[in-house]
């Protein structure tokens, strides 16, 4: 997708320099910086500090992290240790483990000089597959937007939470992909972008990427969605997910659950868009999902740009106050109208998912 009119993907490999290139998302929307990851520890650090974030993108970064590990030291013991460190770099999104397991399946037992090409090809395949899956999510979700538009015959207002846009994936995004497809088809769409405290991914990333693609959007405080729904100003919600259980429960950025409750109370369709790499087929009870508990400084401090264009961080809470920063919550399947996947749209239930993914 576009930044300043130029097409980008969020991650790629520079074969000449043997480095992984990422867009540093901690600097957006104020500065557009491309950063080099040279070692597996650089990849782990980029995931931890959220220079890269969003479930599919951290999976892809972990995959490329193993390519960097192979360049550093292709001993199986080093790769095993690196893969363990990558998996624990952020706990909630299942894509990390999914991508690392897929890479290690290819790399385990390989002790010859083909290992680099094998690793690079697999990391590239993971990215190419994600792009295709996200594009298909868009085409499948487009049908839902078209249906709403055919009845309403006016701008379709879509509420989203956090950033499940192309910046969270390799390209297209999950929740935003149907929106991009609708826009391409000439359907008038407008997005309510939840600010998404504390890190403001909705304001800093979703609004930013929609602006770059020329899609109308308005940032709202996280608590505004309810009144907009009561006023009839939201036609549908589409969010992403970091881990979807086989029973259709959805773990996503904290605050998603409250939006789903408000949507339910107002009879507004609440869709979740995901590639199959985000499905956890093993955990049965959502209480077993590891919910990331991040540094409370993300709440007590805020970053912005001053009048001279410098990025500044300031404290906004009393120094003595305690803050708590749970990063994700779970929306029970009963509040989810449907799951938009690369294979089609299904009910958020064991039967629904089983029909699509045998
Ligand atoms: O903490 P983040 O910014 O990594 O959280 C991202 C989200 O919650 C997204 O909604 C999710 O990863 C889906 S990405 C297509």
């Amino acid at each position: 997708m576009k930044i300043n009119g130029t097409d980008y993907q969020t991650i790629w490999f520079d074969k000449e320099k043997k480095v992984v290139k990422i867009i540093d998302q901690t600097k957006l929307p104020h500065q557009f910086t491309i950063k080099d990851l040279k070692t597996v520890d650089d990849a782990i650090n980029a995931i931890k500090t959220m220079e890269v974030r969003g479930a599919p993108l951290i999976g892809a970064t972990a995959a490329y992290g193993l390519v960097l590990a192979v360049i550093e030291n292709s001993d199986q013991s080093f790769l095993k240790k690196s893969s363990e460190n990558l998996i624990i770099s952020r706990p909630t999104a299942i894509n990390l483990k999914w991508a690392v397991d897929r890479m290690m399946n290819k790399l385990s037992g390989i002790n010859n000089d083909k290992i680099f090409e094998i690793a690079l090809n697999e990391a590239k395949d993971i990215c190419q597959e994600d792009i295709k899956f996200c594009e298909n999510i868009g085409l499948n979700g487009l049908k839902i937007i078209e249906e709403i538009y055919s009845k309403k015959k006016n701008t379709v207002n879509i509420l989203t939470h956090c950033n499940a846009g192309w910046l969270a994936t390799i390209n297209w995004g999950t929740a935003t992909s149907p929106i991009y497809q609708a826009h391409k088809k000439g359907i008038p769409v407008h997005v309510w972008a939840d600010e998404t405290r504390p890190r403001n991914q909705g304001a800093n990333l979703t609004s930013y990427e929609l602006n770059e693609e020329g899609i109308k959007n308005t940032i709202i405080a996280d608590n505004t969605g309810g009144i907009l729904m009561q006023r009839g100003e939201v036609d549908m919600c589409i969010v992403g997910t970091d881990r979807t259980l086989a029973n259709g429960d959805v773990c996503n950025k904290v605050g998603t659950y409250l939006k789903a409750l408000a949507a339910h109370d107002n009879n507004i369709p609440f869709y979740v868009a995901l590639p199959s790499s985000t499905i956890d087929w093993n955990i049965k009870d959502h209480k077993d999902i590891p919910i990331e508990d991040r540094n409370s400084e993300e709440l007590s401090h805020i970053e912005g740009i001053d009048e001279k264009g410098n990025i500044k961080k300031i404290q906004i809470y009393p120094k003595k106050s305690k803050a708590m920063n749970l990063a994700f919550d779970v929306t029970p399947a009963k509040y989810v109208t449907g799951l938009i996947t690369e294979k089609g749209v299904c009910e958020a239930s064991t039967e629904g998912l089983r029909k699509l993914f045998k």
Side-chain angles (χ1 to χ4, degrees):
M1 308 296 286
K2 288 195 174 34
I3 292 178
N4 277 331
T6 305
D7 268 315
Y8 283 95
Q9 294 185 1
T10 50
I11 190 165
W12 65 98
F13 190 74
D14 183 330
K15 220 172 169 179
E16 230 164 72
K17 290 194 190 150
K18 290 215 157 85
V19 297
V20 174
K21 301 265 188 191
I22 57 159
I23 298 168
D24 181 353
Q25 299 194 19
T26 60
K27 303 258 185 331
L28 292 175
H30 306 299
Q31 288 170 6
F32 177 72
T33 314
I34 292 174
K35 188 170 174 174
D36 290 355
L37 307 180
K38 298 181 179 130
T39 64
V40 63
D41 280 347
D42 285 353
I44 291 168
N45 185 54
I47 296 169
K48 280 187 179 163
T49 59
M50 295 176 65
E51 286 168 350
V52 288
R53 28 68 52 205
L57 180 57
I58 58 179
T61 308
Y64 274 123
L66 282 171
V67 175
L68 295 171
V70 164
I71 297 170
E72 284 173 75
N73 175 356
S74 62
D75 280 1
Q76 289 291 321
S77 58
F78 182 71
L79 297 185
K80 189 165 176 292
K81 187 79 205 129
S82 301
S83 68
E84 287 162 3
N85 291 339
L86 281 162
I87 287 174
I88 58 168
S89 58
R90 280 193 82 188
T92 302
I94 187 74
N95 303 60
L96 259 183
K97 182 168 160 36
W98 171 87
V100 168
D101 286 351
R102 185 164 154 176
M103 290 293 290
M104 288 307 283
N105 273 342
K106 290 275 169 176
L107 301 179
S108 291
I110 310 273
N111 289 312
N112 55 43
D113 52 7
K114 292 210 177 87
I115 191 163
F116 168 69
E117 284 301 327
I118 294 172
L120 184 60
N121 286 340
E122 193 62 10
K124 280 185 177 167
D125 281 356
I126 286 173
C127 290
Q128 284 312 113
E129 191 180 284
D130 190 68
I131 294 170
K132 190 75 215 143
F133 284 6
C134 284
E135 189 180 3
N136 286 345
I137 287 168
L139 295 170
N140 293 329
L142 168 66
K143 294 174 201 147
I144 303 168
I145 300 177
E146 278 177 327
E147 209 178 305
I148 294 173
Y149 181 60
S150 71
K151 287 185 196 139
K152 192 181 177 195
K153 303 205 167 29
N154 209 335
T155 301
V156 180
N157 289 303
I158 302 168
L159 184 142
T160 191
H161 190 66
C162 195
N163 173 261
W166 75 269
L167 289 166
T169 64
I170 316 302
N171 216 342
W172 291 106
T174 58
T176 55
S177 189
I179 297 169
Y180 289 130
Q181 293 292 355
H183 179 71
K184 261 182 38 174
K185 262 202 124 175
I187 297 174
V189 282
H190 165 260
V191 177
W192 297 112
D194 277 355
E195 183 187 31
T196 319
R197 284 280 294 145
R199 292 187 67 102
N200 298 333
Q201 292 96 323
N204 290 346
L205 303 174
T206 304
S207 178
Y208 169 76
E209 66 164 80
L210 292 171
N211 290 343
E212 296 293 311
E213 289 290 328
I215 295 182
K216 285 190 188 142
N217 68 90
T218 308
I219 298 167
I220 50 173
D222 291 330
N223 297 326
T224 309
I227 189 163
L228 292 177
M229 291 185 201
Q230 288 172 326
R231 286 181 174 179
E233 292 183 52
V234 179
D235 297 304
M236 71 185 301
C237 304
I238 317 181
V239 298
T241 165
D242 287 76
R243 197 184 284 242
T244 301
L245 300 192
N247 68 3
D249 287 352
V250 168
C251 182
N252 190 47
K253 180 55 56 192
V254 71
T256 302
Y257 173 44
L258 294 178
K259 283 306 133 66
L261 287 177
H264 181 75
D265 192 44
N266 289 281
N267 285 321
I268 291 163
F270 189 91
Y271 285 95
V272 179
L274 63 137
S276 50
S277 53
T278 309
I279 304 173
D280 182 337
W281 298 104
N282 296 313
I283 287 185
K284 300 274 176 285
D285 185 338
H286 73 77
K287 293 196 185 85
D288 295 329
I289 299 174
I291 301 289
E292 185 174 11
D293 191 349
R294 289 186 66 85
N295 193 328
S296 63
E297 207 184 283
E298 289 183 349
L299 275 161
S300 60
H301 290 65
I302 201 156
E303 257 182 31
I305 194 163
D306 69 11
E307 58 292 342
K308 289 189 183 128
N310 300 316
I311 294 182
K312 280 230 165 100
K313 191 179 197 174
I314 55 163
Q315 187 180 331
I316 53 171
Y317 287 171
K319 260 201 176 123
K320 274 191 183 163
S321 297
K322 259 175 71 177
M324 191 213 205
N325 188 12
L326 291 180
F328 297 93
D329 64 20
V330 179
T331 301
K334 64 181 174 186
Y335 298 122
V336 177
T337 310
L339 301 173
I340 309 172
T341 78
E342 74 268 15
K343 290 204 176 184
V345 181
C346 71
E347 191 184 83
S349 67
T350 310
E351 300 70 46
L353 278 167
R354 218 180 261 156
K355 268 186 212 154
L356 286 186
F357 302 95
K358 302 262 180 301

